Amino acid sequence: MAIESPAAPEATPRGRRNSRASGDERERAILATAQQLLEERPLSEISVADLAAGAGISRPTFYFYFSSRDAVLLTLVERMAAEAGEAIESRAAAMLSTDPRTGIRQGIEDAYTAFASRRAAILAAAELQATNAEAREVWSRVMEGWVAQVSKIIEAERARGAAPPGPPARDMAIALVQMNERVQRGNLAAEAPSLSDGVLIDTLVEIWMRSIYGAAED
């Protein structure tokens, strides 16, 4: 069974030019600087001057690539979403027809790894959504992409007779994706209560298996 990966959220050009080369070293330096600084302090304490200095460029050059500090963070989030989507497509979806449990586990692990690798950026983006409409729009596109992917998986599994009929696939996908996002974010933020690393993946896999297949099937 081949599950088409949803298109990654379109990266809205946030700099002063209409397009920029994805391989541009200075752009990568800005993003790497942002990720490093976010591990050290909150977004509100990071300035454009900090990002420019860390990337070894001037403030005017920074604005050639990004329109603001927030735009850098949102680009990090979009890259995370694209990375997770590609990993799920290449590693997880192909396993579903022969080993659903392993396929679902791989998909959840890939998504969580993408989250955890940019922990500070994800938490900063979640906070930014409260005041920034573009941040909410970007995250909505990210979530919609994952919902579309999971919907296709559920529909395909039902079509081949592996999963029983149930609620509309999209409705189930929304619930599962939203659950994963919230549980994983709670873990990354060390909220109380939250699931520990030791049980997080196992618990989510069990819920997905029971929801989609109607039982804890192997």
Side-chain angles (χ1 to χ4, degrees), residues 131-193:
T131 57
N132 186 305
E134 185 179 8
R136 292 192 292 273
E137 180 183 345
V138 166
W139 193 245
S140 178
R141 291 202 306 269
V142 168
M143 295 293 282
E144 185 59 51
W146 288 335
V147 166
Q149 190 170 33
V150 174
S151 294
K152 288 180 179 179
I153 288 172
I154 294 171
E155 289 169 352
E157 291 296 86
R158 288 176 176 176
R160 75 181 185 91
R170 176 176 168 80
D171 292 350
M172 184 176 289
I174 290 172
L176 291 172
V177 169
Q178 290 279 14
M179 175 193 66
N180 272 32
E181 188 273 341
R182 187 64 190 89
V183 168
Q184 291 170 347
R185 179 149 52 93
N187 168 277
L188 295 176
E191 296 177 355

Side-chain angles (χ1 to χ4, degrees), residues 34-216:
Q35 193 161 330
Q36 177 182 344
L37 291 177
L38 284 167
E39 296 288 347
E40 301 169 359
R41 55 186 187 267
L43 181 66
S44 60
E45 296 179 11
I46 299 172
S47 67
V48 167
D50 292 331
L51 294 170
I57 60 175
S58 65
R59 280 179 61 101
T61 301
F62 171 91
Y63 287 115
F64 186 67
Y65 292 89
F66 296 98
S67 61
S68 68
R69 172 194 65 191
D70 293 353
V72 178
L73 173 61
L74 297 183
T75 299
L76 282 173
V77 170
E78 289 173 333
R79 298 283 173 87
M80 178 276 296
E83 177 184 312
E86 290 169 4
I88 292 169
E89 167 63 16
S90 64
R91 287 155 54 85
M95 301 178 188
L96 285 171
S97 61
T98 57
D99 189 351
R101 180 177 288 274
T102 299
I104 286 175
R105 174 177 289 277
Q106 191 66 66
I108 292 174
E109 286 181 343
D110 286 341
Y112 182 66
T113 297
F115 265 62
S117 67
R118 295 178 178 82
R119 174 186 174 278
I122 290 298
L123 296 179
E127 183 176 349
L128 186 62
Q129 290 178 56
T131 57
N132 186 305
E134 185 179 8
R136 292 192 292 273
E137 180 183 345
V138 166
W139 193 245
S140 178
R141 291 202 306 269
V142 168
M143 295 293 282
E144 185 59 51
W146 288 335
V147 166
Q149 190 170 33
V150 174
S151 294
K152 288 180 179 179
I153 288 172
I154 294 171
E155 289 169 352
E157 291 296 86
R158 288 176 176 176
R160 75 181 185 91
R170 176 176 168 80
D171 292 350
M172 184 176 289
I174 290 172
L176 291 172
V177 169
Q178 290 279 14
M179 175 193 66
N180 272 32
E181 188 273 341
R182 187 64 190 89
V183 168
Q184 291 170 347
R185 179 149 52 93
N187 168 277
L188 295 176
E191 296 177 355
S194 62
L195 294 176
S196 67
D197 286 340
V199 302
L200 186 146
I201 300 298
D202 287 344
T203 302
L204 291 177
V205 169
E206 200 65 31
I207 293 171
W208 277 59
M209 288 297 296
R210 292 176 180 273
S211 297
I212 296 173
Y213 298 98

Side-chain angles (χ1 to χ4, degrees), residues 18-40:
N18 291 331
S19 62
R20 55 181 188 267
S22 61
D24 192 295
E25 292 183 3
R26 285 178 290 187
E27 180 186 272
R28 292 200 301 270
I30 294 169
L31 293 169
T33 297
Q35 193 161 330
Q36 177 182 344
L37 291 177
L38 284 167
E39 296 288 347
E40 301 169 359

